[in-house]
Structures are given as structure tokens and as C-alpha cells.
């Protein structure tokens, strides 16, 4: 069955860095667009970055220049490198797989369970 398993989330101080990983299985990873979303309680899920099967990326303005998305099709793994973290980056981070690369959650059909990132000031 399809599985997306995120890892790498933890508590860090502002200005720090983290790399999130998402291990995919049960579908043809290289054929899918992938994305990272984040959500805080009481707010809508927000697109952070997406990458299509060719490696073309889209990054949200709020994290542009600080976060970068990448994928390793040989390892069926998606990454999110997060630098210069800010307290407002605190959220649950989810990876998702879909047919189209976008920042809209309804475009994605498979979702992971999430990994928590907490940034202190």
C-alpha cells in the first residue's frame, strides 16, 4: 500500500537548520509530483514547496531563499532543507504526492502523517 513517512522534525532555536525527509513506497515515486505542506492548529494547511517529476520547483514566498525542496528518485525520498528557521515556521509538516505540482492541497492524493517542527526565539 501507499506510504509516505516523514522524519527530521524537532525543536530548534531560531536561525537554525533542519532537513526533513519523506520516504515513499507503494507507488511509482518518480512519476509523481511531490510537495511539502505545513499546518498549525486552527489554520488551513499551507503549501511550502512542490517539485514535479522533472525536478521543477515552486516555493512559497514566505520561505523563499530559506527553504529548498529536492527529491532522490533512486531512493524514493523527498527532502526539505530548511535554513534560517523562524518561530513562525513552527508547524506540523506533511509531504504529499499527486499528479500536478501545485501549492493547493486538493491536488494531492497521498499524504503522510506529518513531522513536527518547533522553532523557539
Amino acid at each position: 500500500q501507499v506510504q509516505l513517512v516523514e522524519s527530521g522534525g524537532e525543536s530548534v532555536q531560531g536561525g537554525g537548520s533542519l532537513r526533513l525527509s519523506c520516504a515513499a513506497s507503494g507507488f511509482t515515486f518518480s512519476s509523481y509530483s511531490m510537495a511539502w505542506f505545513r499546518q498549525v492548529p486552527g489554520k488551513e494547511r499551507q503549501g511550502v514547496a512542490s517539485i514535479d517529476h522533472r525536478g521543477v520547483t515552486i516555493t512559497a514566498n514566505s520561505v523563499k531563499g530559506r527553504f529548498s525542496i529536492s527529491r532522490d528518485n533512486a531512493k524514493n525520498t523527498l527532502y526539505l532543507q530548511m535554513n534560517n528557521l523562524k518561530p513562525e515556521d513552527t508547524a506540523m509538516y506533511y509531504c504529499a504526492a499527486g499528479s500536478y505540482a501545485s501549492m493547493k492541497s486538493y491536488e494531492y492524493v497521498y499524504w503522510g502523517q506529518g513531522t513536527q517542527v518547533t522553532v523557539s526565539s
Side-chain angles (χ1 to χ4, degrees):
Q1 72 276 22
V2 171
Q3 277 196 311
L4 294 172
V5 181
E6 302 96 335
S7 61
E10 60 181 79
S11 296
V12 295
Q13 286 217 330
S17 297
L18 285 175
R19 188 174 83 155
L20 305 184
S21 299
C22 172
S25 60
F27 65 103
T28 307
F29 178 79
S30 59
S31 298
Y32 277 72
S33 294
M34 301 295 298
W36 289 98
F37 287 80
R38 66 186 182 186
Q39 189 170 25
V40 296
K43 292 193 174 182
E44 287 190 5
R45 199 164 288 191
Q46 174 191 34
V48 176
S50 68
I51 183 167
D52 72 9
H53 66 284
R54 300 165 298 169
V56 177
T57 63
I58 303 171
T59 306
N61 287 335
S62 59
V63 302
K64 198 166 289 185
R66 301 188 297 122
F67 291 12
S68 65
I69 188 170
S70 62
R71 64 192 300 162
D72 185 336
N73 289 337
K75 295 182 178 180
N76 287 353
T77 302
L78 177 73
Y79 301 100
L80 183 68
Q81 178 66 45
M82 306 188 294
N83 298 325
N84 190 22
L85 282 159
K86 303 177 180 181
E88 52 264 40
D89 296 319
T90 295
M92 184 72 78
Y93 284 72
Y94 299 89
C95 72
S99 298
Y100 303 102
S102 82
M103 305 293 264
K104 303 199 187 306
S105 59
Y106 60 76
E107 297 277 14
Y108 294 87
V109 294
Y110 303 134
W111 290 86
Q113 294 300 305
T115 186
Q116 177 68 37
V117 172
T118 303
V119 184
S120 58
S121 56

